Short mmCIF file of all heavy atoms in Angstrom, two decimals:
data_model
loop_
_atom_site.label_atom_id
_atom_site.label_comp_id
_atom_site.label_asym_id
_atom_site.label_seq_id
_atom_site.Cartn_x
_atom_site.Cartn_y
_atom_site.Cartn_z
N ARG A 333 -6.83 -11.63 14.84
CA ARG A 333 -8.29 -11.52 15.08
C ARG A 333 -8.61 -12.46 16.20
O ARG A 333 -8.80 -13.65 16.02
CB ARG A 333 -9.07 -11.82 13.83
CG ARG A 333 -8.90 -10.82 12.71
CD ARG A 333 -9.87 -10.97 11.60
NE ARG A 333 -9.71 -9.99 10.53
CZ ARG A 333 -10.23 -8.78 10.56
NH1 ARG A 333 -11.01 -8.44 11.57
NH2 ARG A 333 -10.03 -7.92 9.57
N ARG A 334 -8.63 -11.91 17.40
CA ARG A 334 -8.81 -12.66 18.63
C ARG A 334 -7.64 -13.63 18.84
O ARG A 334 -7.75 -14.63 19.54
CB ARG A 334 -10.14 -13.48 18.62
CG ARG A 334 -11.36 -12.60 18.37
CD ARG A 334 -11.64 -11.69 19.49
NE ARG A 334 -12.80 -10.86 19.22
CZ ARG A 334 -13.47 -10.23 20.15
NH1 ARG A 334 -13.08 -10.29 21.39
NH2 ARG A 334 -14.49 -9.46 19.84
N GLY A 335 -6.51 -13.31 18.23
CA GLY A 335 -5.33 -14.14 18.36
C GLY A 335 -4.25 -13.46 19.17
O GLY A 335 -4.45 -12.35 19.69
N THR A 336 -3.11 -14.08 19.27
CA THR A 336 -1.98 -13.62 20.09
C THR A 336 -0.69 -13.78 19.36
O THR A 336 -0.50 -14.73 18.59
CB THR A 336 -1.92 -14.40 21.41
OG1 THR A 336 -3.16 -14.30 22.09
CG2 THR A 336 -0.83 -13.90 22.31
N CYS A 337 0.21 -12.84 19.53
CA CYS A 337 1.60 -12.99 19.00
C CYS A 337 2.57 -12.44 20.01
O CYS A 337 2.22 -11.63 20.89
CB CYS A 337 1.75 -12.30 17.65
SG CYS A 337 1.94 -10.51 17.73
N THR A 338 3.84 -12.89 19.90
CA THR A 338 4.88 -12.41 20.80
C THR A 338 5.58 -11.19 20.22
O THR A 338 5.96 -11.19 19.05
CB THR A 338 5.94 -13.52 21.02
OG1 THR A 338 5.29 -14.67 21.60
CG2 THR A 338 7.03 -13.07 21.95
N LEU A 339 5.71 -10.15 21.04
CA LEU A 339 6.39 -8.95 20.59
C LEU A 339 7.89 -9.11 20.80
O LEU A 339 8.36 -9.51 21.85
CB LEU A 339 5.91 -7.72 21.38
CG LEU A 339 4.42 -7.37 21.20
CD1 LEU A 339 4.06 -6.14 22.05
CD2 LEU A 339 4.07 -7.11 19.76
N HIS A 340 8.66 -8.75 19.79
CA HIS A 340 10.13 -8.80 19.90
C HIS A 340 10.71 -7.64 19.08
O HIS A 340 10.11 -7.19 18.12
CB HIS A 340 10.66 -10.15 19.39
CG HIS A 340 10.31 -10.45 17.98
ND1 HIS A 340 11.02 -9.96 16.88
CD2 HIS A 340 9.27 -11.14 17.46
CE1 HIS A 340 10.47 -10.39 15.78
NE2 HIS A 340 9.39 -11.12 16.08
N GLY A 341 11.87 -7.19 19.48
CA GLY A 341 12.51 -6.11 18.73
C GLY A 341 11.68 -4.83 18.78
O GLY A 341 11.36 -4.30 19.85
N SER A 342 11.28 -4.37 17.61
CA SER A 342 10.45 -3.16 17.52
C SER A 342 9.54 -3.29 16.31
O SER A 342 9.67 -4.21 15.49
CB SER A 342 11.35 -1.91 17.38
OG SER A 342 12.19 -2.01 16.22
N GLY A 343 8.59 -2.37 16.21
CA GLY A 343 7.64 -2.40 15.09
C GLY A 343 6.49 -1.50 15.37
O GLY A 343 6.56 -0.57 16.22
N VAL A 344 5.41 -1.71 14.61
CA VAL A 344 4.21 -0.89 14.77
C VAL A 344 3.00 -1.83 14.94
O VAL A 344 2.96 -2.91 14.37
CB VAL A 344 3.98 0.06 13.57
CG1 VAL A 344 5.05 1.14 13.54
CG2 VAL A 344 3.98 -0.71 12.28
N VAL A 345 2.03 -1.34 15.70
CA VAL A 345 0.79 -2.06 15.91
C VAL A 345 -0.35 -1.18 15.37
O VAL A 345 -0.57 -0.07 15.87
CB VAL A 345 0.54 -2.36 17.38
CG1 VAL A 345 -0.80 -3.02 17.60
CG2 VAL A 345 1.64 -3.23 17.97
N GLY A 346 -1.06 -1.69 14.37
CA GLY A 346 -2.22 -1.00 13.83
C GLY A 346 -3.48 -1.47 14.52
O GLY A 346 -3.75 -2.66 14.62
N LEU A 347 -4.24 -0.52 15.04
CA LEU A 347 -5.45 -0.85 15.78
C LEU A 347 -6.68 -0.62 14.94
O LEU A 347 -7.04 0.51 14.64
CB LEU A 347 -5.53 -0.02 17.08
CG LEU A 347 -4.33 -0.20 18.01
CD1 LEU A 347 -4.44 0.77 19.20
CD2 LEU A 347 -4.20 -1.62 18.51
N GLY A 348 -7.32 -1.69 14.50
CA GLY A 348 -8.49 -1.60 13.66
C GLY A 348 -8.21 -1.47 12.18
O GLY A 348 -9.10 -1.70 11.36
N THR A 349 -7.00 -1.12 11.84
CA THR A 349 -6.62 -0.94 10.43
C THR A 349 -5.16 -1.33 10.30
O THR A 349 -4.36 -1.14 11.20
CB THR A 349 -6.82 0.50 10.00
OG1 THR A 349 -8.14 0.94 10.33
CG2 THR A 349 -6.64 0.69 8.49
N SER A 350 -4.79 -1.85 9.12
CA SER A 350 -3.42 -2.25 8.85
C SER A 350 -2.49 -1.05 8.87
O SER A 350 -2.86 0.06 8.44
CB SER A 350 -3.31 -2.95 7.51
OG SER A 350 -1.98 -3.19 7.16
N PRO A 351 -1.24 -1.24 9.34
CA PRO A 351 -0.27 -0.14 9.32
C PRO A 351 0.04 0.33 7.89
O PRO A 351 0.61 1.43 7.70
CB PRO A 351 0.98 -0.78 9.94
CG PRO A 351 0.47 -1.92 10.74
CD PRO A 351 -0.73 -2.44 10.03
N SER A 352 -0.36 -0.47 6.90
CA SER A 352 -0.15 -0.03 5.51
C SER A 352 -1.00 1.18 5.17
O SER A 352 -0.68 1.93 4.22
CB SER A 352 -0.48 -1.18 4.57
OG SER A 352 0.27 -2.32 4.86
N ASP A 353 -2.09 1.39 5.90
CA ASP A 353 -2.95 2.57 5.72
C ASP A 353 -2.30 3.77 6.39
O ASP A 353 -2.10 3.76 7.62
CB ASP A 353 -4.31 2.30 6.33
CG ASP A 353 -5.30 3.44 6.13
OD1 ASP A 353 -4.87 4.53 5.68
OD2 ASP A 353 -6.48 3.27 6.42
N PRO A 354 -1.92 4.81 5.64
CA PRO A 354 -1.22 5.93 6.25
C PRO A 354 -2.04 6.68 7.30
O PRO A 354 -1.49 7.41 8.11
CB PRO A 354 -0.90 6.87 5.05
CG PRO A 354 -1.86 6.43 3.98
CD PRO A 354 -2.12 4.97 4.19
N THR A 355 -3.37 6.49 7.29
CA THR A 355 -4.22 7.18 8.28
C THR A 355 -4.51 6.31 9.48
O THR A 355 -5.24 6.71 10.37
CB THR A 355 -5.54 7.61 7.63
OG1 THR A 355 -6.30 6.43 7.29
CG2 THR A 355 -5.30 8.44 6.37
N ALA A 356 -3.98 5.08 9.51
CA ALA A 356 -4.30 4.11 10.58
C ALA A 356 -3.79 4.62 11.91
O ALA A 356 -2.68 5.18 11.98
CB ALA A 356 -3.72 2.77 10.24
N PRO A 357 -4.54 4.38 12.99
CA PRO A 357 -4.04 4.66 14.35
C PRO A 357 -3.01 3.60 14.72
O PRO A 357 -3.36 2.46 15.03
CB PRO A 357 -5.27 4.57 15.21
CG PRO A 357 -6.22 3.70 14.45
CD PRO A 357 -5.93 3.87 13.02
N CYS A 358 -1.73 3.96 14.63
CA CYS A 358 -0.66 3.02 14.87
C CYS A 358 0.14 3.38 16.12
O CYS A 358 0.48 4.54 16.36
CB CYS A 358 0.29 2.98 13.67
SG CYS A 358 -0.47 2.22 12.18
N VAL A 359 0.47 2.36 16.89
CA VAL A 359 1.29 2.52 18.09
C VAL A 359 2.63 1.88 17.81
O VAL A 359 2.72 0.70 17.47
CB VAL A 359 0.63 1.88 19.33
CG1 VAL A 359 1.54 1.97 20.53
CG2 VAL A 359 -0.74 2.52 19.58
N ARG A 360 3.69 2.67 17.89
CA ARG A 360 5.04 2.11 17.74
C ARG A 360 5.45 1.42 19.09
O ARG A 360 5.10 1.90 20.15
CB ARG A 360 6.03 3.19 17.37
CG ARG A 360 5.86 3.71 15.93
CD ARG A 360 6.95 4.70 15.60
NE ARG A 360 6.77 5.97 16.30
CZ ARG A 360 7.74 6.85 16.50
NH1 ARG A 360 8.94 6.59 16.12
NH2 ARG A 360 7.47 7.99 17.12
N PHE A 361 6.17 0.34 18.95
CA PHE A 361 6.60 -0.36 20.18
C PHE A 361 8.08 -0.71 20.04
O PHE A 361 8.64 -0.86 18.95
CB PHE A 361 5.77 -1.63 20.40
CG PHE A 361 6.10 -2.75 19.47
CD1 PHE A 361 7.11 -3.68 19.74
CD2 PHE A 361 5.36 -2.91 18.29
CE1 PHE A 361 7.39 -4.70 18.85
CE2 PHE A 361 5.64 -3.93 17.40
CZ PHE A 361 6.65 -4.84 17.68
N GLU A 362 8.72 -0.87 21.21
CA GLU A 362 10.11 -1.33 21.28
C GLU A 362 10.26 -2.14 22.54
O GLU A 362 9.94 -1.65 23.65
CB GLU A 362 11.08 -0.15 21.27
CG GLU A 362 12.55 -0.58 21.28
CD GLU A 362 13.49 0.59 21.32
OE1 GLU A 362 13.05 1.71 21.60
OE2 GLU A 362 14.70 0.38 21.09
N VAL A 363 10.68 -3.37 22.40
CA VAL A 363 10.93 -4.23 23.55
C VAL A 363 12.32 -3.91 24.09
O VAL A 363 13.29 -3.84 23.35
CB VAL A 363 10.82 -5.73 23.14
CG1 VAL A 363 11.17 -6.61 24.33
CG2 VAL A 363 9.41 -6.03 22.63
N LEU A 364 12.39 -3.69 25.41
CA LEU A 364 13.62 -3.12 26.04
C LEU A 364 14.18 -4.02 27.12
O LEU A 364 13.46 -4.78 27.78
CB LEU A 364 13.28 -1.76 26.66
CG LEU A 364 12.59 -0.71 25.78
CD1 LEU A 364 12.13 0.41 26.67
CD2 LEU A 364 13.54 -0.22 24.72
N ARG A 365 15.49 -3.88 27.28
CA ARG A 365 16.18 -4.27 28.50
C ARG A 365 16.62 -2.94 29.13
O ARG A 365 17.26 -2.13 28.49
CB ARG A 365 17.38 -5.19 28.26
CG ARG A 365 17.01 -6.57 27.83
CD ARG A 365 18.21 -7.51 27.94
NE ARG A 365 19.31 -7.09 27.04
CZ ARG A 365 19.41 -7.49 25.77
NH1 ARG A 365 18.50 -8.30 25.27
NH2 ARG A 365 20.41 -7.08 25.04
N PHE A 366 16.23 -2.71 30.37
CA PHE A 366 16.39 -1.37 30.95
C PHE A 366 17.83 -0.87 30.97
O PHE A 366 18.08 0.32 30.95
CB PHE A 366 15.76 -1.30 32.34
CG PHE A 366 14.28 -1.35 32.34
CD1 PHE A 366 13.55 -1.96 33.36
CD2 PHE A 366 13.57 -0.77 31.28
CE1 PHE A 366 12.16 -1.98 33.33
CE2 PHE A 366 12.18 -0.79 31.24
CZ PHE A 366 11.48 -1.38 32.30
N ALA A 367 18.76 -1.78 31.03
CA ALA A 367 20.17 -1.37 31.01
C ALA A 367 20.53 -0.72 29.69
O ALA A 367 21.46 0.07 29.59
CB ALA A 367 21.07 -2.56 31.25
N GLU A 368 19.73 -1.00 28.64
CA GLU A 368 20.00 -0.45 27.33
C GLU A 368 18.94 0.59 26.92
O GLU A 368 18.94 1.06 25.79
CB GLU A 368 20.00 -1.56 26.30
CG GLU A 368 20.98 -2.68 26.62
CD GLU A 368 20.84 -3.86 25.67
OE1 GLU A 368 19.95 -3.80 24.82
OE2 GLU A 368 21.60 -4.84 25.82
N THR A 369 18.06 0.96 27.87
CA THR A 369 16.96 1.85 27.52
C THR A 369 17.46 3.23 27.18
O THR A 369 18.22 3.86 27.94
CB THR A 369 15.95 1.95 28.67
OG1 THR A 369 15.45 0.65 28.93
CG2 THR A 369 14.79 2.86 28.31
N SER A 370 17.04 3.76 26.03
CA SER A 370 17.39 5.09 25.61
C SER A 370 16.46 6.10 26.29
O SER A 370 15.31 5.83 26.55
CB SER A 370 17.29 5.23 24.09
OG SER A 370 17.42 6.59 23.73
N ARG A 371 16.96 7.30 26.52
CA ARG A 371 16.15 8.37 27.08
C ARG A 371 15.34 9.06 26.01
O ARG A 371 14.53 9.93 26.29
CB ARG A 371 17.00 9.40 27.83
CG ARG A 371 17.66 8.84 29.09
CD ARG A 371 18.46 9.91 29.78
NE ARG A 371 19.08 9.38 30.99
CZ ARG A 371 18.48 9.37 32.16
NH1 ARG A 371 17.28 9.83 32.27
NH2 ARG A 371 19.11 8.87 33.23
#
Side-chain angles (χ1 to χ4, degrees):
R333 292 191 179 275
R334 306 291 179 163
T336 303
C337 78
T338 300
L339 297 179
H340 58 84
S342 59
V344 291
V345 176
L347 302 175
T349 309
S350 172
S352 303
D353 182 351
T355 67
C358 291
V359 177
R360 289 184 288 159
F361 73 88
E362 182 181 14
V363 176
L364 307 168
R365 289 194 297 272
F366 287 147
E368 303 172 359
T369 301
S370 170
R371 294 182 179 272

